Amino acid sequence: MKIVDARVIVTCPGRNFVTLKIVTDDGFTGVGDATLNGRELAVASYLSDHVVPLLIGRDAARIEDTWQYLYKGAYWRRGPVTMSAIAAVDTALWDIKGKQAGMPVYQMLGGRSREGVTVYGHANGATVDDVLAEVERYVGMSYRAVRVQCGVPGLATTYGVSTDKLFYEPADGTLPSQTQWSTERYLAHVPGVFARVREEFGPHLRLLHDVHHRLTPIEAARLGKSLEPYALTWMEDPVPAELQEGFRLIRQHTVTPIAVGEVFNSVWDCQQLIAEQLIDYIRTTVVHAGGITHLRRIFDLAALHHVRSGSHGATDLSPVCMAAALQLDVSIPNFGLQEYMRHTDDTDRVFPHAYRYADGYLHPGEEPGLGVDIDEKAAAEFPYAPAYLPVNRLEDGTMHSW
Ligand code: GCO
Ligand code: MG
């Protein structure tokens, strides 16, 4: 089963997506997501200029060996561009293996561990009343878990609060737009938001909050402590995680659970966080953390240390990534939650898929492989359009994490 063709498809049905399609000599095709928000063409070039020539003629059945060949063979290890490119190849090869075996990928990962994949959506609004209306909407759609983000009085714009609700897209400018930040205003406001949400929706709805790397450990500890009465399922990315031991300080002060990992691209980025039980949920994804092969390794390490999965699933991860994530989600023993931001109708048309939402759960479907494809004709209707994520500055102009 030799690889005879591999092509990189860039399309923008509402936002940019990079997809790798691999073709074998016996007529199987497989797809992998390679989208890196705001840096899409870097991965497209890495793949078409440096990886595709290595794939032609290789045995498509050798998933592990191909992973090692691309990882060790590059000499330059890790990093989001490299790992997204490796992820795309790995995902496409799992897709092919499943199709060849005539079974969904989750069957090859050990079979089903649960009936459905519990998902969460984003309720966000400029004011607390807007937020409550959005939470209501998700509850009306039977979501069991909702991420809550609210505008902060005194700040003109806050990341995570958008006009486009269900399809929230953070990359919003042909050059980066600028948002404003004040830790003091934020910390003063957030606990009151959750008090209102709990008051309205009671104790059973699972609530999450994304801090987006904007605090220091001691500030995060204060936030976690102030949110304890509202029993969050998780506080996400409370601080930048380059310094993994920084999480020890947060842990000393609060029992609010912590979720981290959407910007990680290998097990080495979270090894200490997991082994020291400094987090509760690991949010790495198929596309940014080296594909199904590597993400499975991260989840297995996490399982040994009471850490559950909580994979990133924003709109900038394509339906190919979502389909692959669901195959893992349904099979691993330590599944926690899956983020699910809906894609636009144009995106769903470009990426026909078998997964379906019902009653608070996503279901991967029973198609052989991943159960997702790219319609290349439809993709060609939507050419690449440059788009950047915003940047964030403090009130005095200092550059800050967004
Ligand atoms: C999330 C994320 C996203 C990211 C986005 C970056 O938890 O869903 O934080 O909103 O910011 O995916 O490209
Ligand atoms: Mg996040």
Side-chain angles (χ1 to χ4, degrees):
M1 201 175 41
K2 287 212 177 338
I3 297 173
V4 290
D5 188 22
R7 43 188 187 267
V8 180
I9 303 146
V10 181
T11 179
C12 187
R15 73 141 3 266
N16 293 311
F17 293 112
V18 179
T19 310
L20 178 71
K21 189 162 202 165
I22 294 181
V23 185
T24 67
D25 56 0
D26 42 3
F28 288 104
T29 63
V31 286
D33 184 19
T35 307
L36 185 61
N37 201 352
R39 297 292 186 272
E40 292 89 353
L41 297 185
V43 190
S45 155
Y46 190 109
L47 278 169
S48 48
D49 294 330
H50 303 293
V51 172
V52 167
L54 310 179
L55 296 178
I56 307 302
R58 285 186 73 81
D59 180 356
R62 297 192 179 198
I63 300 179
E64 181 66 44
D65 183 64
T66 302
W67 198 98
Q68 300 296 337
Y69 180 75
L70 295 175
Y71 184 79
K72 294 176 179 160
Y75 186 69
W76 311 106
R77 295 183 183 200
R78 303 159 59 185
V81 174
T82 298
M83 296 305 278
S84 300
I86 294 177
V89 176
D90 183 80
T91 310
L93 294 182
W94 276 103
D95 192 19
I96 288 171
K97 196 177 274 298
K99 286 176 179 169
Q100 199 199 21
M103 56 176 79
V105 168
Y106 78 79
Q107 292 290 9
M108 295 187 294
L109 297 172
R112 209 176 257 285
S113 286
R114 57 196 50 79
E115 303 313 317
V117 172
T118 309
V119 297
Y120 72 91
H122 297 192
N124 65 80
T127 66
V128 183
D129 286 335
D130 294 344
V131 169
L132 294 175
E134 281 302 303
V135 176
E136 177 81 59
R137 183 142 76 119
Y138 279 100
V139 170
M141 291 187 287
S142 304
Y143 278 67
R144 292 168 161 78
V146 181
R147 182 186 101 162
V148 172
Q149 306 296 129
C150 186
V152 177
L155 297 182
T157 49
T158 316
Y159 154 77
V161 177
S162 69
T163 40
D164 197 353
K165 302 292 183 195
L166 275 180
F167 310 111
Y168 175 58
E169 171 50 57
D172 59 0
T174 46
L175 285 174
S177 63
Q178 196 166 296
T179 56
Q180 203 188 31
W181 185 249
S182 156
T183 296
E184 295 72 24
R185 289 177 195 273
Y186 168 75
L187 289 179
H189 186 61
V190 179
V193 176
F194 280 90
R196 290 277 309 278
V197 176
R198 273 288 175 234
E199 213 174 278
E200 292 276 326
F201 297 94
H204 300 306
L205 182 63
R206 296 170 75 176
L207 299 178
L208 299 75
H209 179 65
D210 192 347
V211 187
H212 234 273
H213 316 104
R214 286 174 294 206
L215 301 177
T216 64
I218 201 70
E219 291 162 353
R222 178 176 148 203
L223 177 65
K225 216 168 172 177
S226 66
L227 292 175
E228 280 172 14
Y230 316 112
L232 265 60
T233 294
W234 79 48
M235 167 170 82
E236 176 174 329
D237 290 333
V239 299
E242 286 94 334
L243 183 70
Q244 296 185 38
E245 65 200 53
F247 283 71
R248 287 188 196 138
L249 187 59
I250 311 177
R251 275 298 211 220
Q252 283 160 15
H253 293 284
T254 180
V255 295
T256 294
I258 299 172
V260 176
E262 65 183 53
V263 303
F264 295 168
N265 45 70
S266 84
V267 71
W268 305 109
D269 299 322
C270 48
Q271 174 216 13
Q272 185 182 3
L273 290 176
I274 291 173
E276 287 190 33
Q277 300 177 47
L278 298 175
I279 59 172
D280 302 280
Y281 295 88
I282 180 71
R283 299 192 64 258
T284 37
T285 58
V286 172
V287 54
H288 299 138
I292 290 174
T293 297
H294 195 69
L295 192 52
R296 175 67 195 246
R297 274 191 188 124
I298 294 175
F299 288 162
D300 281 345
L301 177 69
L304 299 180
H305 297 91
H306 303 288
V307 174
R308 285 178 279 179
S309 73
S311 291
H312 190 201
T315 35
D316 51 293
L317 289 79
S318 91
V320 176
C321 178
M322 180 56 77
L326 293 172
Q327 304 288 338
L328 271 166
D329 291 338
V330 86
S331 62
I332 58 172
N334 54 329
F335 171 75
L337 273 180
Q338 170 68 54
E339 182 179 15
Y340 173 45
M341 287 304 288
R342 286 156 195 262
H343 289 112
T344 60
D345 289 345
D346 281 340
T347 299
D348 284 341
R349 186 160 64 81
V350 170
F351 297 97
H353 53 78
Y355 63 81
R356 292 285 172 267
Y357 172 84
D359 198 26
Y361 299 107
L362 272 173
H363 301 276
E366 294 300 325
E367 280 187 21
L370 299 173
V372 66
D373 205 350
I374 182 164
D375 177 338
E376 291 181 66
K377 248 174 133 181
E381 291 169 32
F382 303 102
Y384 169 76
Y388 282 91
L389 290 166
V391 297
N392 203 15
R393 288 186 187 275
L394 301 181
E395 289 166 299
D396 70 359
T398 307
M399 189 71 189
H400 198 66
S401 305
W402 72 277

